[in-house]
Amino acid sequence: MRIVIAGGHGQIALRLERLLTARGYEVAGIIRDPAQGNDLREAGAEPVLCDLESASVEHVAGILQGAETAVFAAGAGPGSGTARKDTVDRGAAVLFADAAERAGVRRFLMVSSMGADSHHPGDEVFDVYLRAKGEADDHLRTRLGLEWTILRPGSLTDEPGTGRIRLEAHTGPGPVSRDDVAAVLAELTDTPATAGLTLELVEGTTPVEVAVKDVAGN
């Protein structure tokens, strides 16, 4: 299986690339900066240069050609302003979903955010971010050609993963390690029965594999 990850140099993406290549998958990560290529190669992934803020749907669909799964893990980052929340957290996500559908990719995983809501009020940067993520999620739900799953982690930490989580439609706020987010994404890749679900994720007591099987109805 070929898997293409948008935001390939992100902290979650690099962790996910290591997990997926360890499972024997062919993984490509989309990056804007060629200097990041070696980090992806060390994680076992193929670096692909592309700026999702300016690329066309046709160009990105070409990158996704032959992939069976697409993962959107890109983000404007905490230091960015409101403009890039729109161009990356919304615009690039919409573009990536449209390109995946055009390329015939079936499985699509969206790394969203707890609290994402296209109608979220407020004008602070984080308010704009939550609206942007919500709009991207809403758009993905309209892509009938994709078997999508939306993952909404709580507050991200760099603590070592425990492999024990809470994964439900509504968990309420809480922390979760980036290690465990990556582990859940890897498991979701192998669990297409979670298609059509929007899931919140925080630390908990249930092993990742069991939690994913539970929400899949297995």
Side-chain angles (χ1 to χ4, degrees):
M1 180 189 293
R2 178 173 171 82
I3 300 171
V4 179
I5 302 173
H9 195 258
Q11 296 184 66
I12 290 171
L14 287 169
R15 289 168 166 85
L16 178 59
E17 286 154 7
R18 294 185 187 97
L19 293 175
L20 293 175
T21 54
R23 294 185 180 205
Y25 294 133
E26 177 188 345
V27 183
I30 296 176
I31 55 174
R32 291 195 310 166
D33 183 355
Q36 298 171 341
N38 284 338
D39 291 337
L40 270 71
R41 293 184 190 96
E42 289 175 5
E46 169 200 352
V48 177
L49 284 175
C50 178
D51 185 349
L52 293 175
E53 289 181 87
S54 60
S56 67
V57 171
E58 292 78 10
H59 180 72
V60 179
I63 293 171
L64 286 161
Q65 200 68 43
E68 293 168 82
T69 300
V71 181
F72 187 82
S80 59
T82 57
R84 295 201 70 227
K85 302 304 181 193
D86 182 67
T87 57
V88 179
D89 295 295
R90 184 201 61 79
V94 166
L95 171 77
F96 199 59
D98 290 350
E101 188 174 47
R102 182 169 300 192
V105 177
R106 294 301 301 170
R107 191 81 172 104
F108 193 103
L109 302 180
M110 174 77 85
V111 182
S112 184
S113 173
M114 191 172 292
D117 180 355
S118 59
H119 301 293
H120 180 84
D123 298 316
E124 298 298 322
V125 173
F126 193 64
D127 298 324
V128 175
Y129 168 75
L130 291 177
R131 277 199 300 276
K133 296 298 283 187
E135 289 168 7
D137 292 351
D138 289 350
H139 180 81
L140 177 59
R141 294 187 183 102
T142 70
R143 300 300 87 196
L144 301 180
L146 299 175
E147 297 173 357
W148 53 264
T149 302
I150 297 169
L151 184 65
R152 293 179 165 177
S155 302
L156 298 172
T157 76
D158 288 322
E159 296 298 317
T162 65
R164 294 184 175 273
I165 59 164
R166 184 179 173 195
L167 182 70
E168 299 170 14
H170 301 287
T171 62
V176 64
S177 72
R178 289 179 172 86
D179 285 349
D180 286 337
V181 175
V184 170
L185 288 168
E187 202 64 36
L188 289 172
T189 300
D190 287 334
T191 315
T194 57
L197 299 180
T198 299
L199 301 167
E200 295 184 350
L201 169 64
V202 294
E203 64 184 20
T205 59
T206 306
V208 167
E209 184 176 350
V210 174
V212 172
K213 284 183 177 178
D214 284 349
V215 296
N218 295 334

